[in-house]
Amino acid sequence: MPPAPTAPRKRTRNARDEILDAAQRVAARDGGARLTLDAVAREIGMTKGGVLYNFPTKTGLLKGMLERMVETFGRIVEERVAASGPEVENPTLKAALEAYASLERLDPDLFTAILAAAVNDPDLLAPVRELKSRLQARVMAEAADPALAMIVMVAIDGLHFERMMRLPPQDAKLRAEIATRLVALVDAMEGAR
Amino acid sequence: MPPAPTAPRKRTRNARDEILDAAQRVAARDGGARLTLDAVAREIGMTKGGVLYNFPTKTGLLKGMLERMVETFGRIVEERVAASGPEVENPTLKAALEAYASLERLDPDLFTAILAAAVNDPDLLAPVRELKSRLQARVMAEAADPALAMIVMVAIDGLHFERMMRLPPQDAKLRAEIATRLVALVDAMEGAR
DNA sequence: GTATAAAAACTGACCAGTCGGTACATAAAA
DNA sequence: TTTTATGTACCGACTGGTCAGTTTTTATAC
């Protein structure tokens, strides 16, 4: 093989984030099943050892991916809540509805990869559980009709899940209409109180 | 001597169903990750060879499990629809709401096992897609407010998904209340037309 | 500035376990 | 005897993880 010339070694910015980005790309491009340590390493011209140096185990890598996603999602929600004035009703629920839209940009295979890993290690979803618990508590506390608010929450979850699994309804127009109607449902909830 | 074509084509002892039962037990008891061909075979005192004779591949086995579940679910829905009189509105949606309750009895690990397998083979979920498509079309056709009917559908899906993944809301009482309110939502939809 | 030591980051080869699948023998039915 | 059904043994590909060493970076001394 040709002698690998001392490559213009990329400045070691943040190996952790680079690896997480690479893992995300691999999962989205090749599917969750092919998200192996070798594949991730190859994606950024590193070796498996290098990846494992940054993440002690593959589960750790998945955990890192998920935590970053959860953190991003949570931050978006908080930003939206903060952006809405103090007079707005159901701020968390509305913010969550908006934040979910941002998930639509992510590739479904990204989630299936994590889901698959969660089968081996149920604790992997702990950050998600924690975030959802927090949001749920706030949404219910803010709502005049907590049960109805929860219906909206589980509905948007269902919509998201169906996208992940590529299950119906997949028609973009119908999905958009459902999302719109969910917002309307929240508004109606407020009007009727 | 030509093989006398005896009428009953059923296998003498339905090994297929026994294997499917065993696979279901293994998945529920040991988790999706440990649902291996050997484990299934061991469960009924058979060997991997025997299992592979009945199901050409592991994917085939999973497919068999899923098809049986889908079929059961679909049958329950049809029974409920048939049981409701012709004057009942939204019969399919109501029947689906009831049928989902029957899924609560199944172990979450059963679904995660299938979900995990679906990562490797997305086509595995084809029967589910097909069933959901059929139901969706009927539900929307029957509904005075199709979008609202779909909200109910995706909400119940979300509730089910959250149970599978052991995500909030897990509190049985809250879940029951949400389910009840979903039924109320359907009734309200009819009242307002 | 340069030399040097130490720590950090990473490589490459290898190991070990798992698991789906195959090949063939074989026992019971038909 | 042929077909159906199952046991036994094994293969081989994959993949996560280990480890000893090598390169790169950083800190420190001169």
Side-chain angles (χ1 to χ4, degrees):
Chain A
M1 57 180 70
T6 54
R9 204 101 191 96
K10 284 180 291 186
R11 291 204 48 75
T12 56
R13 283 167 292 187
N14 191 342
R16 256 186 91 89
D17 275 333
E18 270 183 35
I19 291 170
L20 290 179
D21 289 341
Q24 205 158 322
R25 281 199 302 275
V26 171
R29 190 185 59 232
D30 304 333
R34 289 179 209 179
L35 179 59
T36 69
L37 291 176
D38 274 315
V40 172
R42 209 178 309 127
E43 181 76 13
I44 46 173
M46 198 184 254
T47 60
K48 190 162 57 173
V51 173
L52 283 168
Y53 178 80
N54 289 277
F55 294 92
T57 161
K58 188 184 178 181
T59 303
L61 172 61
L62 273 312
K63 207 173 145 200
M65 291 174 70
L66 192 59
E67 275 169 1
R68 208 174 58 161
M69 289 168 65
V70 167
E71 197 190 347
T72 301
F73 184 87
R75 204 183 49 242
I76 292 177
V77 171
E78 296 309 331
E79 282 172 5
R80 304 274 177 170
V81 169
S84 67
E87 78 289 357
V88 173
E89 293 183 62
N90 300 303
T92 307
L93 180 54
K94 286 174 178 166
L97 278 175
E98 291 168 15
Y100 267 101
S102 72
L103 293 180
E104 298 271 330
R105 280 199 299 277
L106 297 174
D107 194 285
D109 277 322
L110 206 54
F111 300 101
T112 56
I114 290 168
L115 248 48
V119 171
N120 299 317
D121 182 4
D123 293 336
L124 196 72
L125 293 182
V128 181
R129 288 195 190 94
E130 206 251 335
L131 174 67
K132 278 183 68 68
S133 283
R134 274 210 327 265
L135 291 181
Q136 175 183 319
R138 275 169 54 180
V139 164
M140 289 182 70
E142 290 165 1
D145 185 342
L148 187 52
M150 282 310 294
I151 286 183
V152 174
M153 284 287 275
V154 300
I156 197 73
D157 265 347
L159 209 54
H160 183 228
F161 169 64
E162 276 145 359
R163 196 182 81 95
M164 283 185 344
M165 290 291 120
R166 303 178 203 274
L167 293 172
Q170 283 287 50
D171 178 63
K173 223 162 178 180
L174 177 56
R175 292 175 58 86
E177 191 184 350
I178 293 173
T180 305
R181 285 298 300 272
L182 281 173
V183 176
L185 207 56
V186 176
D187 291 336
M189 186 168 82
E190 294 172 2
R193 72 110 145 246
Chain B
M1 183 178 295
T6 50
R9 278 184 63 252
K10 282 179 188 164
R11 323 200 174 233
T12 54
R13 186 174 58 94
N14 203 336
R16 259 184 89 89
D17 274 332
E18 269 182 37
I19 291 170
L20 290 179
D21 289 339
Q24 207 158 320
R25 281 199 302 275
V26 170
R29 190 185 58 232
D30 304 333
R34 288 179 209 175
L35 178 60
T36 69
L37 290 176
D38 275 313
V40 172
R42 211 179 307 127
E43 181 76 13
I44 45 172
M46 197 185 257
T47 58
K48 193 160 60 170
V51 173
L52 281 169
Y53 177 77
N54 288 278
F55 294 93
T57 159
K58 187 185 179 182
T59 301
L61 173 60
L62 272 312
K63 207 174 144 199
M65 291 175 68
L66 193 59
E67 275 170 1
R68 207 173 60 161
M69 290 169 65
V70 167
E71 196 190 348
T72 301
F73 184 88
R75 205 183 48 243
I76 292 177
V77 170
E78 295 311 330
E79 281 172 7
R80 305 274 178 172
V81 169
S84 67
E87 78 289 355
V88 172
E89 294 183 63
N90 299 303
T92 306
L93 180 54
K94 284 173 180 166
L97 279 175
E98 291 168 16
Y100 267 102
S102 71
L103 293 179
E104 298 270 331
R105 280 199 300 277
L106 297 174
D107 194 286
D109 277 322
L110 205 54
F111 299 101
T112 55
I114 291 169
L115 248 48
V119 172
N120 299 318
D121 182 5
D123 292 337
L124 196 72
L125 293 182
V128 180
R129 287 194 191 95
E130 205 251 337
L131 175 65
K132 278 183 67 70
S133 283
R134 273 210 328 264
L135 290 181
Q136 175 183 319
R138 275 170 54 180
V139 164
M140 289 181 72
E142 289 164 3
D145 185 343
L148 187 52
M150 283 310 294
I151 286 183
V152 174
M153 285 287 275
V154 299
I156 196 73
D157 265 347
L159 209 55
H160 184 227
F161 170 64
E162 276 146 358
R163 196 182 81 94
M164 285 186 340
M165 290 291 120
R166 303 175 204 274
L167 294 172
Q170 284 288 51
D171 178 63
K173 226 164 175 175
L174 177 55
R175 291 175 59 85
E177 190 183 351
I178 293 173
T180 305
R181 286 297 300 273
L182 281 173
V183 175
L185 207 58
V186 176
D187 291 336
M189 188 168 80
E190 294 172 1
R193 72 107 144 253

